[in-house]
Amino acid sequence: MPENALPEDPNERYNNRLERRLKVLELLEQAGFGLYLPPDGKQRKDAVDKLARLIARQRELPKLSRATLDQASAQLETRLEAMQKHLPTDVQYRNRIRSRNDW
């Protein structure tokens, strides 16, 4: 397959797009930025799942497997959780109290 040709599989195209987004988040973290996540665990999970769906193109969303979206959510959550240490201390404290995640 030529280097600039798009993969035919929607899951593969989605995973390529996800990798590019994860690299951007990694660069932001390395620069000392953090994205605020809701303190409530359910809201946090919903926000990450929504982000995973928003990365997909509208026409390919129905073709993506549930496993692909779940894996994407897990990768995004890992990257976003790592960014939480860059938030101000009072935000970190509130998130730890309300969230039962030990980060």
Side-chain angles (χ1 to χ4, degrees):
M1 176 162 73
E3 203 171 301
N4 55 354
L6 292 175
E8 290 295 318
D9 181 31
N11 288 311
E12 192 175 336
R13 280 196 311 265
Y14 175 78
N15 285 331
N16 290 342
R17 195 175 310 114
L18 175 66
E19 286 301 318
R20 291 191 306 268
R21 301 316 188 268
L22 288 170
K23 285 180 185 176
V24 169
L25 290 175
E26 181 181 0
L27 289 173
L28 288 172
E29 181 189 359
Q30 289 173 356
F33 290 98
L35 295 176
Y36 174 78
L37 289 174
D40 179 58
K42 183 176 177 353
Q43 287 178 336
R44 189 178 290 222
K45 173 115 176 77
D46 290 345
V48 171
D49 289 344
K50 184 176 183 179
L51 178 59
R53 286 190 313 274
L54 287 172
I55 290 173
R57 303 267 191 258
Q58 193 64 34
R59 66 182 177 273
E60 72 186 9
L61 192 57
K63 299 174 187 172
L64 294 176
S65 70
R66 185 72 219 156
T68 299
L69 289 173
D70 288 343
Q71 180 184 15
S73 292
Q75 290 176 328
L76 286 166
E77 184 176 18
T78 300
R79 176 61 58 204
L80 292 170
E81 288 288 341
M83 296 175 86
Q84 297 302 294
K85 66 184 176 198
H86 297 294
L87 295 174
T89 306
D90 59 333
V91 174
Q92 291 181 35
Y93 179 72
R94 279 195 307 254
N95 282 350
R96 268 191 224 115
I97 288 175
R98 293 185 186 157
S99 155
R100 296 216 167 104
N101 295 340
D102 189 16
W103 47 272

